[in-house]
Amino acid sequence: MTTMSDLPQDLTKEIFSRVPLTSLSAVRSTCKSWNSISKSQVLCESAARRKQFLGFMMKDFSVCSMKFDLQGIQNEADFVDPSIKQVSVLDQVEISQIFQCEGLLLCVTRDKSRLLMWNPYLGQTRCIQPRNTFLSGDQYALGYDKNRKHKILRILGDYWQIDHYQRGVSLKGHTYFLAKEKIRIGGTNNNIDCILSFDFTTERFRKLLPLPFKSHYSNKLLLSCVREEQLAVLHYNWVMGQALEIWVTKKIDPGEVSWSKFLRFTSSCIGHIIPGSFFVDEEKKVVVVVDQDYNRRIVTSRNQSAHILGPDRYFKSVNIGETRYIGKRSKHGYMISELCRPRVCSSYVPSSVQLQTNQPVKSEESEN
């Protein structure tokens, strides 16, 4: 009698390439051979060959899986709209922030009452309660030390001036933030944009790293990573020609960083967009910028779009749904809107790290 383990390996790999991210745990339990194949991360290898981006994003205070096929971007007949599906295991709680570290996701609840750790590959979740209380202005990150022991960083206070919309990026266990260094020059306080990193082995912030450009206070800066191997920074200059540039690190060490320019677009090519998050596909030389559509907002909702930027001034916008304005009235009667902007994590790689629910999570708190 033929069993699942008797299927040809090529067919099994094709099956894995079509499995939704959130169904990996169920597939693993089918048989021992499938469990072994999943551990070798055939899913991601197959997805890479198919030129797909697999990851997670925030949408209307929900966590969604995202599959984006970049194969047909130069041929409209072959282009496939991205697939975005809400994660059912987290649909009973509203999430305001997500952070990814090599296959593990750290989720911050909208009411700031707790944190949730989630391993989509193993289908495990873990609730983390605060020592005292979580504050609305707290910043979080997830990383690991030289022994690959995972830890959560919680930043209290605003010494580094990390803007509320900025999110930490995990790279080889370390966490990187876009921050502003306070410098006093000639009796005037100045804020210089830079990269702040945290080492989870020494449990210390490291030397500030420079950006490859000078930014203006009105510029938009965003941080991302490429396959969790390189940092990428988006610089949208509203002053000098409204140019959008993407820079990628060539080298990054504790005290040194070098950059190369990956892509540059001007406003005449892309129109007016408000970058919220982005990811990079180096092989196809493509950048996908995700955010609300500035020009199509209405009273109760705003379109969310994925803007695809590629070689030879290639530009395409794809509607990925609507987001709601969720507001409340101030004591003076004005409506204060609370908008959950779509945020995309870096490409997803399955992790076999077990979430041990009976042991406390190490949380590093910084009050810088």
Side-chain angles (χ1 to χ4, degrees):
M1 181 175 125
T2 302
T3 64
M4 300 294 283
S5 59
D6 296 325
L7 292 175
Q9 189 176 39
D10 289 345
L11 178 57
T12 302
K13 290 181 179 181
E14 181 65 22
I15 292 173
F16 267 78
S17 72
R18 298 175 182 271
V19 174
L21 295 178
T22 52
S23 299
L24 287 175
S25 59
V27 172
R28 289 178 59 249
S29 62
T30 303
C31 61
K32 290 183 179 180
S33 64
W34 280 34
N35 183 44
S36 176
I37 290 174
S38 67
K39 288 182 179 179
S40 67
Q41 300 178 359
V42 172
L43 172 67
C44 292
E45 295 171 6
S46 178
R49 290 194 299 269
R50 295 168 63 89
K51 305 298 186 296
Q52 288 181 340
F53 171 87
L54 300 175
F56 292 94
M57 68 175 293
M58 283 291 311
K59 192 172 185 290
D60 282 340
F61 299 104
S62 299
V63 179
C64 300
S65 63
M66 183 180 192
K67 181 182 291 187
F68 210 129
D69 189 348
L70 298 172
Q71 182 64 30
I73 62 169
Q74 299 288 358
N75 188 342
E76 292 295 325
D78 297 333
F79 183 81
V80 179
D81 285 342
S83 172
I84 300 173
K85 298 180 180 180
Q86 184 174 348
V87 174
S88 59
V89 71
L90 299 175
D91 62 4
Q92 298 301 312
V93 60
E94 291 187 317
I95 304 296
S96 62
Q97 302 173 34
I98 54 173
F99 310 87
Q100 180 172 297
C101 176
E102 295 190 5
L104 298 181
L105 268 72
L106 175 66
C107 306
V108 183
T109 59
R110 185 183 175 191
D111 61 8
K112 304 298 189 296
S113 64
R114 64 194 187 279
L115 306 179
L116 293 173
M117 285 278 288
W118 179 40
N119 186 330
Y121 172 66
L122 298 181
Q124 297 176 344
T125 58
R126 178 178 181 183
C127 181
I128 302 169
Q129 301 291 345
R131 292 175 180 176
N132 297 309
T133 183
F134 292 136
L135 305 176
S136 60
D138 292 348
Q139 294 279 352
Y140 301 92
L142 180 64
Y144 56 82
D145 60 23
K146 63 181 180 181
N147 298 317
R148 297 194 70 85
K149 180 180 180 181
H150 286 79
K151 304 175 184 179
I152 295 172
L153 172 68
R154 177 188 180 192
I155 301 179
L156 311 175
D158 61 351
Y159 176 82
W160 295 108
Q161 286 194 310
I162 302 173
D163 291 330
H164 67 92
Y165 58 84
Q166 296 289 0
R167 299 292 176 261
V169 171
S170 176
L171 190 66
K172 299 178 181 178
H174 305 304
T175 291
Y176 297 85
F177 295 93
L178 281 172
K180 299 180 187 297
E181 183 183 13
K182 298 178 181 179
I183 298 178
R184 191 170 182 81
I185 302 176
T188 304
N189 291 324
N190 293 269
N191 293 323
I192 307 299
D193 289 300
C194 59
I195 291 180
L196 173 69
S197 64
F198 186 83
D199 187 322
F200 283 91
T201 297
T202 62
E203 299 182 356
R204 293 289 185 272
F205 286 104
R206 302 193 297 187
K207 179 182 177 181
L208 296 173
L209 299 174
L211 292 168
F213 47 77
K214 291 183 179 180
S215 61
H216 188 266
Y217 71 90
S218 64
N219 294 170
K220 182 77 170 184
L221 305 180
L222 294 172
L223 196 63
S224 184
C225 63
V226 184
R227 301 185 312 276
E228 300 200 18
E229 296 176 0
Q230 301 166 278
L231 287 182
V233 64
L234 179 150
H235 179 214
Y236 193 16
N237 193 328
W238 294 74
V239 179
M240 303 299 293
Q242 293 187 347
L244 187 150
E245 295 179 340
I246 304 293
W247 294 77
V248 175
T249 55
K250 295 189 295 184
K251 177 183 178 181
I252 183 164
D253 289 325
E256 182 182 1
V257 64
S258 59
W259 300 85
S260 64
K261 187 182 292 186
F262 180 77
L263 199 66
R264 186 179 192 275
F265 266 71
T266 61
S267 60
S268 60
C269 302
I270 62 177
H272 188 84
I273 66 175
I274 310 175
S277 60
F278 73 102
F279 63 87
V280 174
D281 186 311
E282 274 195 311
E283 183 177 345
K284 294 195 70 64
K285 301 186 182 301
V286 168
V287 176
V288 179
V289 181
V290 180
D291 204 358
Q292 279 88 23
D293 190 324
Y294 180 81
N295 294 320
R296 297 179 182 176
R297 59 183 179 177
I298 56 178
V299 176
T300 58
S301 67
R302 180 185 287 183
N303 286 344
Q304 298 175 113
S305 300
H307 308 286
I308 308 169
L309 290 69
D312 302 322
R313 295 189 175 185
Y314 177 86
F315 180 78
K316 180 180 179 65
S317 289
V318 181
N319 191 307
I320 58 174
E322 290 186 344
T323 185
R324 303 185 307 273
Y325 277 105
I326 304 174
K328 58 183 179 180
R329 294 194 179 277
S330 68
K331 63 181 181 179
H332 301 295
Y334 296 105
M335 181 63 73
I336 303 175
S337 63
E338 182 181 2
L339 193 64
C340 181
R341 306 175 76 178
R343 302 192 185 278
V344 178
C345 293
S346 59
S347 57
Y348 176 75
V349 177
S351 170
S352 59
V353 173
Q354 297 279 342
L355 299 183
Q356 300 177 356
T357 57
N358 59 339
Q359 295 184 7
V361 171
K362 179 72 176 292
S363 176
E364 305 301 332
E365 296 189 358
S366 171
E367 298 186 6
N368 288 321

